[in-house]
Structure formats: structure tokens, C-alpha cells
Amino acid sequence: MAAKPLPPPRAVYHEARLREVWDLVTAGSDGVTEAGDSSGVSLSFAVLKRQLDDLEIDFGTCGLDTAKINRAVFQTTETDPDRLIDFVAFCAFAARNGKPPGGVDPVLETHAYFEKHKLGALFESMTASLMVVKPDDPKEFLTERLLNLKQRGTPVAEFSDAELGSLFDMSDAAGAGHVSGAKAAKGLEVLVGRVPPEVAEYPTRLITREHFIRLARGLLETYGS
């Protein structure tokens, strides 16, 4: 089953085409939202291989070499079948292992570079730090955080409970002590660009300040940089 080709002149692989492939292989998996968003889904390589085989995915419409990608998936499955891969890692894996003889589209080559060095998470952490702390001197603040990351491994997005609470308070203008899942999602997304499924899938569920802080801590521990 092939992903739809891009219209000319950019009829080479692109993240959008790999997104279509990912949606195909994750269809029906746990974590896919009612809206069909598969961004937060992770598959083991064993499952990924089975899906690619069953669906006969053709990466040629993405500008990639199908045989090379299938071979790389097979080799990884043989050595580490339970290893998990999400969409971002899938893009990087496909770009790295599926390069056709004529070279690759620079868009996803850059995407692979960002994934290799975890730059997306780093930039998200820098932005989140600025939005939460609101320092008087942003450049000095970021310089200090980056130096701490380099020298001591301290995450850029390191916040106190009070700072995370202030992020919640921005959504709780009425001071009720709780907000809807939809409002909490917007605040949590600021931190690492992601929202936990338990919040995203239940937009009307009430989230308390304490629960928000726990959710934020979980996101930062998992995805922060």
C-alpha cells in the first residue's frame, strides 16, 4: 500500500508522506486519538515489521528505498524486537536507512539531524523556560541554562513546583483550582510540545493544580532536555 505522491515539483520524500505511512502502520493501535492523531503512538520494531510486511508499504512514493528500510527494520527486529519507535524516530530511521542512490530531500535530512542531536526537544525546552519563568534578561537566562546543561547535565526546562503552578494559574483565571482538560492541554503543550493522552482524549475532564504539576513533571522527565 503506497502513500500518496507529492505534487510536482517536490515529488520526493517529505515528512508529510511519512506521516501517512505512520498513520497506516499505527491504525488501531493504543494511543491513537479519536481524531486519528498518531503522534504519541510508539510501536515495537516487531510490530512495525509485521505491519510493513502485511501492508506492503512502498516508500518509493516518499522518495526512499523500500528494500533498504525493510532490511534495516528486519535487522533491528532480529537484535532488539521490543525496542520502541515513535513517529519522530521513525522519520529519522527512514531518512537514515532509506537513502536512494540519488541522495535525499534536505527537508527530512535536516529532520534526521535534529532527531540525532535532540534539537527539537532542546528548542522546545528553551521556549518553555522563557514562557514559564519570563526572565528580565532572556539571553543571559538561556546562556546560564545552556551552560548548566553542558557542564552539569542540568535540564534546560527545570522548574520548581511554584513555576509549574504559575503556568496552571494562567489557565485558571477564575482561581477555581481546576481547569478543563482542554485548557490544561494548552498549558502542558507549552513545556515540551506534547500532551498526555489522558488529557488530550478527555478535554472536559477537570484537572486540579496538583494533578497538572504531576503531569508536567512526567512530561519533563520523559521529553525534556
Side-chain angles (χ1 to χ4, degrees):
M1 186 178 298
K4 293 180 290 186
L6 281 172
R10 201 168 177 76
V12 288
Y13 85 85
H14 187 276
E15 181 179 344
R17 300 292 76 81
L18 285 176
R19 166 69 69 183
E20 292 179 1
V21 171
W22 186 249
D23 287 343
L24 287 172
V25 300
T26 58
S29 300
D30 291 339
V32 178
T33 67
E34 293 181 4
D37 183 11
S38 60
S39 301
V41 177
S42 293
L43 298 178
S44 69
F45 266 84
V47 173
L48 176 62
K49 179 183 181 301
R50 185 175 68 244
Q51 290 291 84
L52 292 179
D53 290 344
D54 290 347
L55 296 171
E56 297 182 348
I57 296 293
D58 177 14
F59 287 93
T61 54
C62 304
L64 294 169
D65 190 310
T66 300
K68 286 183 178 180
I69 293 176
N70 286 339
R71 188 181 308 117
V73 171
F74 171 79
Q75 291 171 344
T76 304
T77 302
E78 287 291 292
T79 58
D80 192 3
D82 296 326
R83 175 182 164 189
L84 296 178
I85 184 169
D86 61 10
F87 173 66
V88 174
F90 174 71
C91 284
F93 183 90
R96 184 171 61 252
N97 293 287
K99 293 183 179 181
V104 296
D105 185 321
V107 173
L108 275 189
E109 195 159 43
T110 300
H111 187 99
Y113 174 80
F114 266 59
E115 168 62 15
K116 177 181 178 181
H117 295 286
K118 307 299 182 186
L119 294 180
L122 178 60
F123 290 151
E124 287 173 352
S125 294
M126 291 167 65
T127 302
S129 297
L130 291 173
M131 295 181 71
V132 173
V133 180
K134 297 181 179 63
D136 293 332
D137 189 335
K139 293 179 180 177
E140 182 180 349
F141 172 80
L142 288 177
T143 298
E144 181 181 346
R145 293 249 169 159
L146 289 172
L147 282 174
N148 286 336
L149 174 65
K150 180 179 180 180
Q151 296 171 357
R152 294 188 287 275
T154 305
V156 171
E158 184 176 54
F159 306 113
S160 66
D161 283 356
E163 288 170 332
L164 292 176
S166 70
L167 184 60
F168 172 88
D169 294 340
M170 294 178 193
S171 300
D172 184 22
H178 56 74
V179 296
S180 67
K183 285 188 175 181
K186 292 180 180 179
L188 292 169
E189 192 171 13
V190 165
L191 296 174
V192 293
R194 297 170 185 259
V195 178
E198 64 179 283
V199 177
E201 295 174 15
Y202 301 97
T204 59
R205 176 182 293 176
L206 296 181
I207 304 293
T208 65
R209 196 173 194 270
E210 292 73 19
H211 190 191
F212 180 91
I213 292 173
R214 289 199 303 273
L215 290 168
R217 287 256 172 255
L219 286 174
L220 290 169
E221 291 173 6
T222 305
Y223 302 109
S225 178

